Amino acid sequence: MKQLFITLSLAALLASCHSNSTEQENKAANSAANQATEPFEHVAEQFADLRVLRYQVKDFDALDLKTKTLLYYLYEAALCGRDINYDQNYKYNLAVRKTLEALLSTKSHDNESEEFKQLETYAKRVWFSNGIHHHYNNDKFVPECSKEFFIHALSHVDEKYLPLQNGQNKAAFVSFIADVIFNPEIAPKKVSLDSKKDLILSSAVNFYEGVNQAEASAFYSAQVDSTSDEQPMYGLNSKLVKENGKLVEKVYKVGGMYSWAIEKMVFWLEKAIEVSENEQQKKALQALVTYYKTGQLKDFDTYNIAWVNDTASVVDVVNGFIEVYQDPLGKKGSFESVVSIKDFEASKRIAKIGAKAQWFEDQSPIMAEHKKKKVTGISAKVINAVVESGDAAPSTPIGINLPNNEWIREKHGSKSVNLGNIVEAYEQAAGGSVVDEFYYNEEIKKRVKEYAPLADKLHTDMHEVIGHASGKIDTLVGQPHETLKNYASALEEGRADLVALYYLMDPKLVELGVMPSLDYGKAAYDEYITKGLIVQLSRIKLGNSLEEAHMRNRQMIANWAYEKGKAKKVIEKKQENGKTYFVVNDYEALRTLFGDLLRETQRIKSQGDYKAGKALIEGYGVKIDPVLHKEVLARYEKLNIAPYAGFIQPKLVPVMVDGKITDVKIEYPKDFKAQMLEYGKNYALLPSYN
Ligand code: ZN
């Protein structure tokens, strides 16, 4: 719930076409010597609707040995959880991935054929999405080659490399796996948010089995202890199944579900504890290990409190079952890990904003009773990612605000981070063609190109540091995921965006010295409206509606402001030469509208007003005008830019002397496929069927 993705931010959309399909397997190109002499290439390749980028870790070599060693252990722990996310996304994802890896590692006369290349592209898409469903729109995708070819290609693969199920022969396996991959009727949607259907039964995610939505909802409602205001996030770390007619949770822990991977993670975390920077960090890591051993959600809360209080460390790590986007009921946490180091320079900007959190809360247009009297523990910094895995890779958030548990946020605060080197990589990989195509005139284009890069950073800072942290829920009203259900994520993201938007046109940001002038705020408004109403439609197939929470919230906000300001032409729809534009005429009036909507979304969250929340999202954030949609798709296609981006991860290599680490080197691989095959070999810690 607390992630902010760049996929829609300007940098990603500005991207020009760098089709670099020639995969270089020149290992020397990865060496440190070449890094120093060649400019860093941020774009690796493009296929389907995806681009693969690379990022750098500033000044890694200058870190001391202890810090590097700590990063290395956390890096290994992160990658040990990679398989878990595949299995969570769909129960046959690991079998599909291992089959594809076996295929791509087998030499045969087919390897140069067109169809084999299509199969390879399919494998890359599976790696990119951690499974057979699109990482963003949730639809199952299929290879472009024929099923017959796939079956033929498998005939060359030795069966000992294939993930056969117990007692299955190769022929039965091939027919099973071909069906999983090619049959559009099988698991068509990863996460369904279609409120007309049973959300669990119509979703392919592997969080429930033999259980329907009503049963699962009742199961978790019954766990809520209304006498305590320190409720854990029930269901976060387990799969809910039916055994002998009874509902049972299979808990992710040492000795439980996913034990093989978790044991290995614990091994590395325990090594990390030995080289921790300070007592607080040590305490947090120890609490994390305890939680992985017990599987108790109370222990996870204890860990989170320790983690929130660890604000002095240079190295930080998110590791666990964290975000609940992949569960249609918003309960189950997907495994992710983000290992990072602090960026001191950039952190100064975000700290200036964080220091004024109470001022922002006091000035907010939300109702007085929904304001926090004391905004606690907002800690914000810019970090540079060192490695990301699970749900956070290859597609990555650019900002993270955790923990997600509301009571911990209210009593102990939260930590907000902005992933500086990831944002930087997006910017470096960018060009200006999207701005030229979708923005109305030269004045606006110039403003967006010049001011949006900083405005984007400020939007992220404000969204994470001030937005998610602001406001409070009325007493006796449950947590948003209980009250607002499947609309909770979109409404929460919308609320945080609105806080950011409202203040991006406030002279306070200029006064604080983080923004040179209000022109940056104007650029942010130009962008938000154009992206929310036009550009983001480029990522949706014709005939479909918006399903993803962040996309829904953006359209909801932009569309609502357009409709409410229509009479006064606050935002004007213009059509010229067959092209549609939305142009902001009155920035001050738009700011007032954003303030009004912020007040309403906060009221909805505070009071748990499901009906009003549903009306906002369904009324403004879901439906797409088919005529405009078709136009946008045609305009976007001409730009030849893949709309989604993800990253190849840096590689940490310890230098060992007599069994001791004497240094850790960082490498920046250039070949996505090679990295994925390497991970598949080194971090395949789970059986194919769990
Ligand atoms: Zn957010």
Side-chain angles (χ1 to χ4, degrees), residues 112-174:
E112 291 308 311
S113 72
E114 191 54 34
E115 291 208 290
F116 195 85
K117 294 212 164 66
Q118 291 168 338
L119 207 50
E120 184 172 296
T121 300
Y122 174 72
K124 287 181 186 172
R125 297 184 71 188
V126 170
W127 287 321
F128 192 99
S129 292
N130 299 318
I132 64 170
H133 301 92
H134 194 279
H135 75 290
Y136 208 76
N137 67 29
N138 289 315
D139 291 330
K140 176 173 173 175
F141 51 85
V142 295
E144 285 191 325
C145 71
S146 67
K147 186 174 173 181
E148 289 66 35
F149 176 80
F150 173 76
I151 291 170
H152 168 76
L154 272 181
S155 71
H156 300 306
V157 180
D158 190 322
E159 74 168 59
K160 72 174 185 245
Y161 298 119
L162 294 173
L164 306 189
Q165 292 196 68
N166 275 347
Q168 198 177 28
N169 64 30
K170 186 176 171 185
F173 170 76
V174 168

Side-chain angles (χ1 to χ4, degrees), residues 1-4 325 463-464 468 493 496 550:
M1 171 173 96
K2 308 298 196 282
Q3 291 187 349
L4 185 68
Y325 293 108
H463 173 112
E464 299 289 344
H468 281 308
E493 292 313 318
H550 295 78

Side-chain angles (χ1 to χ4, degrees), residues 29-30 35 40 54-60 648-651 666-671:
N30 289 337
Q35 291 299 329
F40 191 83
R54 303 164 68 225
Y55 65 90
Q56 267 178 308
V57 187
K58 250 192 299 184
D59 303 327
F60 181 89
I648 293 176
Q649 302 299 321
K651 181 178 179 180
I666 191 162
E667 293 176 359
Y668 300 104
K670 292 186 166 178
D671 185 337

Side-chain angles (χ1 to χ4, degrees), residues 615-629:
L616 266 187
I617 299 296
E618 294 288 348
Y620 297 95
V622 177
K623 280 166 251 154
I624 302 173
D625 167 6
V627 179
L628 177 63
H629 193 182

Side-chain angles (χ1 to χ4, degrees), residues 177-229:
I177 204 78
D179 221 23
V180 166
I181 292 175
F182 286 91
N183 187 341
E185 307 283 311
I186 295 175
K189 195 101 190 156
K190 181 169 64 170
V191 188
S192 166
L193 292 175
D194 181 348
S195 54
K196 288 186 239 46
K197 293 183 187 154
D198 183 301
L199 296 179
I200 289 181
L201 301 182
S202 55
S203 298
V205 280
N206 189 25
F207 295 125
Y208 306 89
E209 198 153 338
V211 180
N212 66 32
Q213 187 182 348
E215 289 170 321
S217 297
F219 180 83
Y220 286 113
S221 300
Q223 295 191 351
V224 177
D225 171 6
S226 53
T227 63
S228 166
D229 60 355

